[in-house]
Amino acid sequence: ICKQVANNPMEINCTQHENMDESLIVGENCLNQFLSQNPNSCPVKSHNNCLYSQNRLAKRYINELDVICPLQFQQGYEEGEIPGFVTCNFKGKVKQVNDHLEHSCCLQMVTCWFKSFGCNYKCSKSAIHDHLTSNMKFHFDLVIKSIRQYQEEIKKLNLENETLKVELQLKDKKDEEIAHLKQQLSQLNPAQAYIESKDNEIQKIKQEMQMKEQQKKFEEKNKQTNDNKEEQKENTINDNSSSSIISTSSTFNFELVRSFKLLKTFTGHSST
C-alpha cells in the first residue's frame, strides 16, 4: 500500500482475486490502517469481507534483507540536514531493526531524565547528554522545588495524622463515657421503674378522687334542686291547708301542727 518493503507481510486471500497470478502481499501496519479507514473493503479491489493471513515464507525472506536505520532520514529532515545523510551507523537485518530502535539507536527520541520533576524536554539519544549538561541549574531547581513540595506534603500529612489521632482519642473517650452512662442507667432502671409505677398509682388515685369529688358535687346539686322543688310544693300545700283550717274553724288544730315538717329556719329578722 505504501510502496515500501512490507514489514510483517500479510497475504490477501479473497476469493475475488483467485485468478490473479501475482502474490498479493501487504504490510500488517498498512493493512490495519487501510481497514480502519475503509471498513468492509479490500486494498486490491473494493468489495466486502477482505480475507488475509500471515505469509511466513515472505516474512522469512523479508526479515533477511539488509537495511540501515530508518530514523536517520527522519532525523535529517527534522534538523534541516541533507536528506539521506547517515547519522546512525546501524546496518543489519530487518528482523533486528526493532531491537535496535528500542535499545541502541542514537536517533530514538527519549524524554529528559528529570521528567518526573517537571522537565518535558524530548530529544534523540545522541543529544540527551548535551541537554543534561547545559541545563544543570534548571534541573537542580526542579529537584529542589520538588523536594520542598514533598516536605510540605509530609507536614500536611503529619498534621492530618495528628488531627486524626486526637479525634480518635476523643471518640474513644466519648465511647467510654457513653458506656459508663449506660451502665449507670442499667443500675438505675429497677429503681426508676418502681418510682414510675408508684407515680402511676398516685395519678390513678388522684383521678379516682377527682371523679368521686365531681360525682359528689353533682349529687349535692341534684339534691338541692330536688329540695327546692319539694319546698315549693310543700309551701303550696301548707298555704292551702292553712286557708282551709282558718276558714273551717276558728280554733287552731295543734294535732295538725305535729305533722308539719321543718324545712328552714329564718334568722336575722329585726321585725315582722
Side-chain angles (χ1 to χ4, degrees):
I1 296 176
C2 66
K3 308 304 180 181
Q4 302 297 325
V5 176
N7 191 21
N8 195 15
M10 310 296 289
E11 184 175 6
I12 305 297
N13 299 320
C14 303
T15 56
Q16 290 85 346
H17 318 306
E18 289 181 349
N19 296 328
M20 298 182 67
D21 294 334
E22 57 182 327
S23 297
L24 303 178
I25 302 299
V26 61
E28 182 180 21
N29 185 48
C30 287
L31 180 61
N32 290 333
Q33 290 183 4
F34 176 85
L35 294 178
S36 64
Q37 297 173 2
N38 305 278
N40 298 323
S41 185
C42 176
V44 180
K45 188 177 181 180
S46 180
H47 62 80
N48 294 333
N49 301 323
C50 179
L51 302 178
Y52 53 90
S53 62
Q54 190 179 65
N55 191 315
R56 295 184 178 181
L57 178 62
K59 183 177 182 180
R60 285 196 297 269
Y61 175 76
I62 292 174
N63 283 340
E64 295 298 325
L65 294 176
D66 293 325
V67 293
I68 60 177
C69 180
L71 293 182
Q72 59 187 343
F73 301 102
Q74 299 176 10
Q75 185 74 6
Y77 283 119
E78 288 180 0
E79 296 184 359
E81 298 177 357
I82 300 174
F85 181 76
V86 178
T87 56
C88 178
N89 295 325
F90 171 78
K91 292 182 180 180
K93 305 296 183 182
V94 170
K95 60 184 179 183
Q96 300 171 338
V97 171
N98 289 334
D99 182 73
H100 164 71
L101 294 176
E102 292 179 3
H103 299 98
S104 60
C105 181
C106 62
L107 300 180
Q108 184 70 23
M109 298 298 292
V110 294
T111 58
C112 178
W113 294 1
F114 294 88
K115 180 180 179 181
S116 59
F117 296 97
C119 182
N120 297 319
Y121 184 79
K122 288 183 178 182
C123 63
S124 63
K125 282 185 177 181
S126 60
I128 190 66
H129 181 72
D130 294 337
H131 167 71
L132 294 175
T133 55
S134 60
N135 292 276
M136 293 180 63
K137 185 179 184 304
F138 173 69
H139 292 152
F140 178 79
D141 292 340
L142 289 177
V143 173
I144 295 299
K145 182 180 178 181
S146 298
I147 291 175
R148 290 176 178 174
Q149 291 177 350
Y150 177 72
Q151 291 175 344
E152 291 296 328
E153 290 178 358
I154 291 178
K155 290 181 180 179
K156 184 178 179 181
L157 290 175
N158 289 334
L159 180 60
E160 292 178 355
N161 188 27
E162 293 298 326
T163 303
L164 289 175
K165 285 182 179 179
V166 173
E167 291 178 355
L168 288 175
Q169 291 175 355
L170 293 175
K171 184 178 181 298
D172 293 339
K173 185 177 180 181
K174 187 176 181 180
D175 291 340
E176 291 178 358
E177 292 177 354
I178 292 174
H180 182 66
L181 289 175
K182 286 183 177 179
Q183 184 178 3
Q184 290 180 343
L185 288 175
S186 63
Q187 295 175 353
L188 293 176
N189 279 338
Q192 184 178 2
Y194 175 78
I195 294 173
E196 290 179 353
S197 63
K198 291 302 179 181
D199 288 341
N200 292 334
E201 292 179 3
I202 293 172
Q203 293 297 330
K204 186 176 181 181
I205 293 173
K206 286 182 178 181
Q207 292 178 358
E208 291 178 354
M209 292 178 65
Q210 290 177 356
M211 292 179 63
K212 288 182 179 180
E213 185 69 22
Q214 292 177 358
Q215 182 68 23
K216 183 178 179 181
K217 289 181 180 180
F218 179 75
E219 291 177 354
E220 290 179 353
K221 184 176 181 181
N222 287 340
K223 182 179 179 182
Q224 183 177 2
T225 302
N226 293 333
D227 289 345
N228 291 336
K229 290 182 180 180
E230 185 70 22
E231 180 182 357
Q232 292 176 359
K233 181 178 179 180
E234 290 182 358
N235 287 337
T236 303
I237 295 173
N238 290 336
D239 290 342
N240 293 335
S241 300
S242 298
S243 300
S244 175
I245 294 172
I246 294 172
S247 60
T248 55
S249 176
S250 60
T251 304
F252 191 79
N253 189 353
F254 288 97
E255 294 295 331
L256 183 61
V257 175
R258 293 178 181 177
S259 64
F260 289 168
K261 178 181 179 182
L262 177 63
L263 297 179
K264 287 186 179 181
T265 299
F266 293 99
T267 58
H269 288 287
S270 60
S271 63
T272 308

